[in-house]
Amino acid sequence: MTNNVKVQRAIANITQAQLAEKIGVSRQTINAIEAKKYVPSTVLALKIARLFGKSVHEIFELDNDD
């Protein structure tokens, strides 16, 4: 799964720590999502999308091998 969380954060001008606080996870979780080392739960993906005012599909996308 790929994502553009880092790009969305830059557009919103917020840090990993600020995003983490807003959605109730650790900064390390945000870092792992951005590094594509962690696939978020549906609830977490929805929280991220809602915070950025985007659909989940605008932020997260399946790879061909998913």
Side-chain angles (χ1 to χ4, degrees):
M1 175 179 281
T2 61
N3 70 74
N4 64 8
V5 173
K6 187 173 184 175
V7 171
Q8 295 301 321
R9 271 196 318 99
I11 291 168
N13 195 32
I14 61 174
T15 66
Q16 287 181 344
Q18 290 168 325
L19 174 57
E21 184 177 331
K22 289 175 185 283
I23 61 174
V25 298
S26 70
R27 185 202 57 78
Q28 290 85 354
T29 298
I30 301 303
N31 182 272
I33 291 169
E34 290 182 359
K36 299 170 183 73
K37 294 180 180 179
Y38 175 73
V39 176
S41 68
T42 304
V43 171
L44 185 52
L46 287 165
K47 285 181 178 182
I48 292 169
R50 180 173 60 190
L51 186 126
F52 292 130
K54 305 280 184 179
S55 72
V56 172
H57 294 281
E58 291 177 284
I59 298 176
F60 298 95
E61 188 175 327
L62 291 174
D63 289 328
N64 290 334
D65 58 338
D66 286 337

